[in-house]
Amino acid sequence: MQESPKYWKGIEELENSPEFVKNALSEFADFMPMKETHGTSDATVAPRRDFLKLMGFGLAAATLASCETPIKKAIPYLNKPEEVDPGIANFYASTFFNGQDYNSVLVKTREGRPIKLEGNPESPITRGGLSARAQASVLSLYDGGRLQHFAKKGAKIDKDQLDQEVRNALAGAGRVAIVSHTIISPSTKKVIAEFAGRFAGTEHVMYDVNSVSGLLRANGGALPAYDFSKADVIVSFGADFLGTWLSPVEFARQYITNRKVSSEKKTMSRHFQFESNMSLTGSNADVRVPLKPSEMGEAVLAVYNTVVGGGSASSYTDKRIQTAAAELAKAGSRGLVVSGSNDPAVQALVTAINQRLGSAAVDVANPSMVRQGDDAKMSNLLKAISAGQVGAVIFYNANPVYDHPMGAELAAALKAGKVRTTISLNDRLDETGELCTYAAPDHNFLESWNDYEPKRGYLSLAQPVITPLFATRQAQDSLLTWAGNPTTYYNYLRAQWKAVLGGDFNKAWDKAVHDGVAMGTAALAAPAPAAPAMDAAAAIAAIKSAPKPSGIELMVYEKVGVGSGADGNNPWLQELPDPVTKATWGNYVTVPRAYAEAQKWKQDDVVTVTANGKSVQLPILIQPGQAAGTVGIALGYGRVNAGKVGNGLGKNVLPLLAMRNDAISYATAVTLAATGTQEPIAQTQTHHTIMDRKPVVQEATLAQYIKDPKEVTEYEKISTPEGLQKPNKVSLWQDYEYKNHHWGMAIDLNSCIGCGSCVVGCQVENNVAVVGKQEVINRREMHWMRIDRYYSSDAHKSDFDTKGKLDTYAAMEDPSENPSVIFQPMMCQHCNHAPCETVCPVLATTHSSEGLNQMTYNRCVGTRYCANNCPYKVRRFNWFSYYTNEKFESVNGHMFTDLGRMVLNPDVTVRARGVMEKCSLCVQRIQLGKLEAKKQKRRPQDGEVVSACAQSCPTQAIVFGDMRDPESRISKLLRREDGERAFHVLDAINVQPNITYLTKIRNTETSEFNA
């Protein structure tokens, strides 16, 4: 059997640095008396004897207190709303779209308050999947940093007075501009058109922070829709389509369709990724090739020459580009090329390649609508504003002062009064809003009616699931009011949909609202006018004439969690580890290891990055897989008006960028200089070492799998008098007998892309606390579920015979310049022979009759013996009372106020200080499913009980169910994969987990696999 490469978690483990060794051997950091601040008084953990003395009084006092009858004041319903039953959740179909990320959702409400979003399975676009941003968006509803009233120059103003002043100002403004991010609501566009009809000279300009203006220009103004399930060969040039490019939830589900394998389906798509930064998509590729941004055009030209022919010779000669081009040509209509470049010349060649292939994965007849920003129009508008040529500007949920490269020029123009009337419809006084005269804050999307068209002919609806929390007004209602239309936007929306649904409108409307989506309907808005597309000859000439930067090249990218920074005040997203770097709470400069060593830089060293006459200072993060001669920085940070959580995190890198070919270029030449200072990066990955125990993660090639599925997974065996046996054949434990249910989970490493949606989904469902940057650095993050990211090294133990053990181990300390990556979700394994259960002195952790490792929080006294005994390091200790300690108010503030606590799940307790907590496999969902089935006098059916992580997963990598049900998905999966891809982590220690993993299979040659 082909031996898998050695995996390591991070630079610290690989280098075996003294700090890492210290932390690895000390599982509980700072195990000293803790000091915790509550208001103005200090409390220090007492020594053990004093603690026991105090316990005597404490128990007595508690007993006395319990004798007093508590006073409870409650106002019962006089007329209970028909749809509200206390203790019972209601679900409403809606839509999440924040200007770039689209998800059709179901909103879970309890007693009239939204507490969680889940994917809408009725949507043909997202198919029940959900992104991490959509998961976390429910918290933004309860953000106290939202503007809670209408304002003029920051001061509260009466709504009617504002309306009157705005109408008067717009009437004499002359040229009026409405600036927004991409709007995919057809009805909203008609409202804007009606507004423009009322005020002559109005123009609507859309821009995108992560722009695809070049792709739009290359395709005549329309954005092609893609279906990755129809591609057998995928070649991506810097398009992070699984993470941030266009429609990642949609693409992830399509992509995984051709990546799942079984003994009945031994075929996979082949994925080549050419990129500068190690992206989420590149981490999942079969063949990943690092290259500079300046080489991207020549690399695309090399493929063009092979597939189409007739182009100029390419200077990019890597043999892997020739392999990719040859396989594309062979695949024909089952081939697909995509590019994340914003250069219209590069995109024009990509379009020409797909046209020659006749790619079935590209749909131009039903284009995507999720990116419509025009960089050239936005640039021209900002220049006109600076020249004083615009009389009024309305910023509709757009913050260009912060999130556009020309934001500084716009801020200067607004401060200088170059625009007479400025209006913000943003939800807070952000960087742009604070410079505007008027603020008419928009509702949150969960308080609003709206429609959406993410793809031509595919419609979805949003409906309010809660009464507006503040004195805000939906932006469309504001525009209608100022245009003199007394109609509410709800009635306006219904009127537009009458032409769509037809027939019995009320019945059809109710169904559309119930389902959240409407299919096969005509578009509500006319298609955008086609723009002339750049031809291949002009594109080749532009690529050949492009200036070649010397020195280091910067590639600006978008993070999966924080994104453009619009949700920068959301602590769930700030604490979500980046899938690749595993860093939280800020941005940094990713640099190749060789370059850092040449400069004698170490991780956390702060450097000054300078480009186009502007500079930022950020710490460096050594990133395996970063292309030589390049560095990377994430956008979305450096906010100053986001709110308590988002302010002051990282630096805004967008001012370093410039325009090229009338489009924003996200790559630029930079210089780097050391500052001599350090700033620690809060990473979650390298806190614990697996001490070289195996098997933890396993992978093999498709060729090996085709040859013999039973040889791709390594199973450890132990010696017994009867010979080698599986570890579970020898045990000191008495096995459990599960008579009714036996809950378990299977995770397909082939399907897990590492997106993190499950991590946020678990956090929302189970009221997991946020701890902030410093506590993450202290190794005290609270996520019940983590996604471990493993890199490979070049060396293998098979080299012992040829290179010797010492040389081989020395080689293992050098990281691969371009490692392969595996993502592995890790949570409590709910072991049948759980080591934690035997060491708890108070029986706080026990085993249930249904296979769950349970935590009884009221019993836990915080000895942490269980965490010490856990081989998977998945238990979390509450060092502080995160929901009452003022130290955490800035990062966990939603737990401090009545407003913020509305997001908490009432079915899950909020844990106190000194208590151990961990994954419960969403036992509250299990109990609900069992009770609902019991009402109908039957057993729960497969699929009725789904854990939050499984439900969140856009690729269905996680299967949860009852292993006692022979017809359940998990039972069938485990039977099929037994002895082939199914394995348990650290199986040799015989803890017998109820979590099973399936070996990852890559469609790559053995030589590529080992590289």
Side-chain angles (χ1 to χ4, degrees):
M1 187 185 80
Q2 177 68 34
E3 185 171 353
S4 299
K6 179 181 182 293
Y7 288 92
W8 45 275
K9 285 188 174 184
I11 295 296
E12 296 87 345
E13 180 177 353
L14 195 69
E15 292 181 334
N16 210 30
S17 64
E19 182 69 19
F20 175 77
V21 172
K22 174 187 173 183
N23 290 333
L25 296 177
S26 176
E27 293 185 333
F28 304 110
D30 302 328
F31 189 36
M32 297 291 290
M34 297 171 294
K35 195 170 185 180
E36 181 173 11
T37 302
H38 295 274
T40 58
S41 62
D42 292 341
T44 303
V45 174
R48 181 176 177 272
R49 291 191 178 186
D50 292 342
F51 170 74
L52 293 176
K53 292 176 184 177
L54 292 172
M55 277 295 291
F57 169 76
L59 291 174
T63 303
L64 290 173
S66 67
C67 297
E68 299 179 8
T69 303
I71 298 174
K72 296 182 179 179
K73 297 180 179 179
I75 302 176
Y77 284 120
L78 185 61
N79 294 299
K80 186 182 74 67
E82 181 180 353
E83 70 277 6
V84 175
D85 291 309
I88 304 298
N90 289 334
F91 289 81
Y92 300 91
S94 192
T95 303
F96 166 80
F97 183 72
N98 62 354
Q100 59 178 7
D101 191 16
Y102 171 86
N103 287 259
S104 180
V105 300
L106 299 178
V107 185
K108 179 182 180 181
T109 66
R110 282 291 302 269
E111 290 74 52
R113 55 188 177 88
I115 62 171
K116 192 176 185 302
L117 301 189
E118 297 179 353
N120 184 353
E122 299 292 328
S123 170
I125 305 293
T126 52
R127 302 183 186 180
L130 209 57
S131 69
R133 295 177 203 169
Q135 287 277 1
S137 66
V138 67
L139 183 57
S140 298
L141 169 68
Y142 305 108
D143 183 0
R146 292 170 55 194
L147 186 57
Q148 303 179 18
H149 53 76
F150 284 64
K152 179 180 181 181
K153 296 182 179 179
K156 186 176 180 180
I157 185 176
D158 180 72
K159 178 176 61 175
D160 294 335
Q161 181 182 349
L162 180 143
D163 289 341
Q164 185 61 45
E165 291 186 15
V166 167
R167 277 193 293 262
N168 293 338
L170 291 174
R175 183 177 179 182
V176 179
I178 299 176
V179 178
S180 73
H181 292 312
T182 290
I183 294 176
I184 62 172
S185 166
S187 296
T188 300
K189 286 185 175 179
K190 286 199 172 185
V191 168
I192 293 174
E194 184 169 324
F195 179 91
R198 172 66 176 79
F199 298 102
T202 298
E203 60 179 324
H204 178 207
V205 178
M206 292 185 286
Y207 76 100
D208 298 308
V209 182
N210 194 354
S211 175
V212 296
S213 185
L215 178 58
L216 286 164
R217 286 181 56 193
N219 289 274
L223 185 66
Y226 299 95
D227 188 344
F228 287 82
S229 68
K230 296 180 179 179
D232 293 334
V233 178
I234 301 166
V235 179
S236 170
F237 292 96
D240 187 13
F241 58 83
L242 298 179
T244 59
W245 190 68
L246 299 185
S247 184
V249 172
E250 175 188 10
F251 295 160
R253 183 66 175 271
Q254 297 167 354
Y255 175 81
I256 290 301
T257 300
N258 286 343
R259 306 292 290 179
K260 292 180 182 289
V261 295
S262 66
S263 52
E264 292 80 31
K265 179 184 175 295
K266 297 181 181 179
T267 59
M268 286 176 63
S269 62
R270 176 101 147 133
H271 175 195
F272 295 84
Q273 186 81 8
F274 298 84
E275 62 183 8
S276 303
N277 305 325
M278 173 74 84
S279 70
L280 182 65
T281 304
S283 302
N284 286 277
D286 297 308
V287 180
R288 180 184 178 273
V289 183
L291 82 172
K292 296 180 180 180
S294 59
E295 297 174 325
M296 194 71 72
E298 293 286 350
V300 174
L301 178 57
V303 175
Y304 176 88
N305 289 340
T306 300
V307 176
V308 181
S312 177
S314 171
S315 61
Y316 189 78
T317 57
D318 190 295
K319 65 178 182 180
R320 290 167 292 188
I321 200 73
Q322 301 303 328
T323 301
E327 294 193 19
L328 269 175
K330 183 178 180 181
S333 63
R334 298 290 297 182
L336 173 64
V337 182
V338 292
S339 173
S341 172
N342 200 32
D343 187 338
V346 172
Q347 294 291 358
L349 290 189
V350 170
T351 298
I353 295 169
N354 285 327
Q355 289 175 345
R356 175 56 63 91
L357 292 171
S359 178
V362 180
D363 184 1
V364 294
N366 300 291
S368 174
M369 310 296 290
V370 294
R371 294 288 196 284
Q372 301 173 41
D374 190 317
D375 290 347
K377 286 184 178 180
M378 184 63 178
S379 176
N380 292 334
L381 174 63
L382 295 180
K383 291 175 183 177
I385 290 174
S386 297
Q389 299 170 359
V390 180
V393 179
I394 300 174
F395 298 100
Y396 175 21
N397 289 331
N399 187 14
V401 168
Y402 162 73
D403 61 21
H404 193 276
M406 297 174 63
E409 292 90 327
L410 175 61
L414 296 180
K415 290 177 182 177
K418 295 293 183 69
V419 182
R420 292 192 301 275
T421 303
T422 52
I423 306 166
S424 170
L425 299 177
N426 301 349
D427 74 336
R428 66 195 64 223
L429 288 178
D430 53 23
E431 290 82 353
T432 302
E434 71 165 353
L435 300 178
C436 293
T437 303
Y438 299 102
D442 192 7
H443 288 338
N444 183 271
F445 78 98
L446 293 173
E447 303 167 328
S448 307
W449 284 100
N450 212 351
D451 59 5
Y452 300 89
E453 190 178 19
K455 187 184 296 185
R456 182 68 66 201
Y458 293 73
L459 300 170
S460 66
L461 281 168
Q463 61 177 313
V465 292
I466 189 172
T467 300
L469 299 175
F470 307 128
T472 58
R473 181 172 63 191
Q474 191 162 350
Q476 294 89 337
D477 281 316
S478 293
L479 293 175
L480 287 170
T481 298
W482 299 336
N485 189 335
T487 305
T488 65
Y489 183 60
Y490 169 70
N491 291 331
Y492 191 97
L493 181 71
R494 282 174 55 92
Q496 303 305 314
W497 275 66
K498 284 183 179 178
V500 176
L501 299 176
D504 186 346
F505 172 71
N506 288 330
K507 182 177 180 180
W509 170 258
D510 289 344
K511 184 179 188 305
V513 172
H514 175 272
D515 295 346
V517 294
M519 298 302 304
T521 57
L524 287 173
M534 181 182 292
D535 61 27
I540 294 172
I543 290 172
K544 286 297 183 181
S545 62
K548 303 300 180 184
S550 59
I552 301 299
E553 299 178 37
L554 167 67
M555 189 69 199
V556 174
Y557 66 97
E558 182 182 357
K559 275 193 178 184
V560 170
V562 173
S564 68
D567 299 315
N569 208 45
N570 192 312
W572 289 342
L573 293 178
Q574 292 288 1
E575 195 148 296
L576 173 67
D578 179 80
V580 177
T581 66
K582 310 309 295 183
T584 65
W585 294 102
N587 57 349
Y588 35 80
V589 186
T590 57
V591 302
R593 182 181 178 87
Y595 179 68
E597 290 177 345
Q599 300 295 320
K600 297 182 179 179
W601 292 342
K602 295 183 179 179
Q603 184 144 312
D604 299 339
D605 285 351
V606 176
V607 297
T608 300
V609 183
T610 303
N612 300 316
K614 299 176 182 177
S615 300
V616 296
Q617 290 187 349
L618 287 168
I620 68 166
L621 185 147
I622 298 174
Q623 178 60 59
Q626 184 77 32
T630 72
V631 297
I633 304 178
L635 53 81
Y637 293 90
R639 296 290 306 273
V640 294
N641 288 88
K644 288 183 179 180
V645 174
N647 288 347
L649 294 175
K651 299 295 173 58
N652 186 5
V653 71
L654 287 173
L656 272 61
L657 303 181
M659 301 281 288
R660 180 171 180 267
N661 292 336
D662 289 330
I664 299 172
S665 176
Y666 293 90
T668 186
V670 297
T671 59
L672 289 85
T675 64
T677 61
Q678 283 197 325
E679 179 184 333
I681 300 172
Q683 287 178 280
T684 64
Q685 179 76 51
T686 57
H687 300 173
H688 301 289
T689 173
I690 58 173
M691 304 299 289
D692 203 30
R693 290 179 293 184
K694 64 174 187 177
V696 176
V697 290
Q698 301 204 45
E699 71 171 327
T701 67
L702 181 62
Q704 295 167 345
Y705 185 70
I706 292 173
K707 182 178 180 180
D708 189 350
K710 295 187 178 296
E711 289 295 322
V712 296
T713 305
E714 180 180 357
Y715 295 104
E716 295 200 53
K717 296 185 178 181
I718 59 176
S719 298
T720 70
E722 289 77 25
L724 293 177
Q725 298 286 339
K726 293 181 179 180
N728 62 6
K729 296 298 182 182
V730 179
S731 177
L732 297 175
W733 289 67
Q734 181 177 355
D735 288 331
Y736 290 98
E737 182 180 0
Y738 302 110
K739 297 181 179 179
N740 196 7
H741 302 287
H742 186 188
W743 304 103
M745 182 178 289
I747 302 175
D748 185 357
L749 298 184
N750 245 40
S751 301
C752 176
I753 59 174
C755 66
S757 179
C758 55
V759 177
V760 180
C762 172
Q763 186 164 27
V764 180
E765 173 72 21
N766 295 293
N767 302 331
V768 176
V770 178
V771 300
K773 180 176 181 178
Q774 186 55 50
E775 291 303 297
V776 172
I777 294 173
N778 292 344
R779 301 179 287 125
R780 293 173 176 171
E781 70 275 7
M782 294 299 295
H783 288 137
W784 286 9
M785 183 176 192
R786 68 177 191 260
I787 299 182
D788 289 340
R789 178 266 296 124
Y790 291 94
Y791 295 133
S792 67
S793 66
D794 291 332
H796 299 263
K797 290 186 177 179
S798 58
D799 297 332
F800 284 163
D801 296 335
T802 57
K803 298 180 181 179
K805 286 190 176 182
L806 292 179
D807 289 341
T808 301
Y809 279 125
M812 286 181 179
E813 295 181 359
D814 290 327
S816 299
E817 291 185 5
N818 182 31
S820 61
V821 181
I822 293 183
F823 296 104
Q824 183 181 50
M826 181 60 62
M827 72 295 288
C828 175
Q829 301 288 288
H830 293 271
C831 308
N832 292 305
H833 295 176
C836 57
E837 296 171 7
T838 59
V839 295
C840 181
V842 293
L843 288 179
T845 178
T846 54
H847 208 73
S848 80
S849 60
E850 298 180 355
L852 301 182
N853 177 254
Q854 302 175 130
M855 274 299 304
T856 307
Y857 300 123
N858 285 349
R859 290 182 188 169
C860 182
V861 296
T863 64
R864 292 172 293 171
Y865 298 158
C866 57
N868 184 51
N869 245 32
C870 176
Y872 305 99
K873 303 308 169 196
V874 290
R875 288 175 165 259
R876 301 288 178 256
F877 183 69
N878 281 271
W879 289 91
F880 299 95
S881 181
Y882 296 106
Y883 56 93
T884 59
N885 190 328
E886 293 179 359
K887 174 182 177 181
F888 300 97
E889 185 174 3
S890 62
V891 297
N892 211 24
H894 64 282
M895 284 186 162
F896 282 75
T897 64
D898 290 338
L899 173 66
R901 283 192 287 267
M902 289 175 70
V903 80
L904 298 179
N905 184 357
D907 293 329
V908 181
T909 183
V910 176
R911 282 73 60 186
R913 180 191 182 196
V915 170
M916 189 67 70
E917 58 184 73
K918 53 129 195 125
C919 164
S920 66
L921 285 184
C922 293
V923 64
Q924 68 278 2
R925 291 188 172 211
I926 294 174
Q927 291 302 105
L928 177 62
K930 289 163 56 180
L931 289 172
E932 290 298 319
K934 186 177 181 180
K935 292 177 183 177
Q936 302 175 30
K937 298 181 180 180
R938 60 173 177 82
R939 288 178 60 87
Q941 297 177 1
D942 187 43
E944 288 183 332
V945 180
V946 183
S947 62
C949 57
Q951 175 154 52
S952 304
C953 183
T955 62
Q956 295 186 322
I958 303 174
V959 178
F960 176 80
D962 184 0
M963 295 185 291
R964 286 283 296 166
D965 179 359
E967 297 303 313
S968 66
R969 285 179 61 207
I970 189 169
S971 294
K972 293 178 179 178
L973 179 66
L974 295 180
R975 286 198 301 268
R976 187 188 74 203
E977 298 293 346
D978 183 35
E980 295 187 4
R981 294 173 59 217
F983 71 94
H984 294 138
V985 172
L986 303 179
D987 195 31
I989 63 177
N990 195 29
V991 294
Q992 297 185 16
N994 283 319
I995 311 296
T996 303
Y997 295 88
L998 304 185
T999 298
K1000 185 176 183 66
I1001 306 297
R1002 289 190 190 273
N1003 189 358
T1004 184
E1005 302 297 331
T1006 302
S1007 59
E1008 297 167 338
F1009 176 71
N1010 290 336

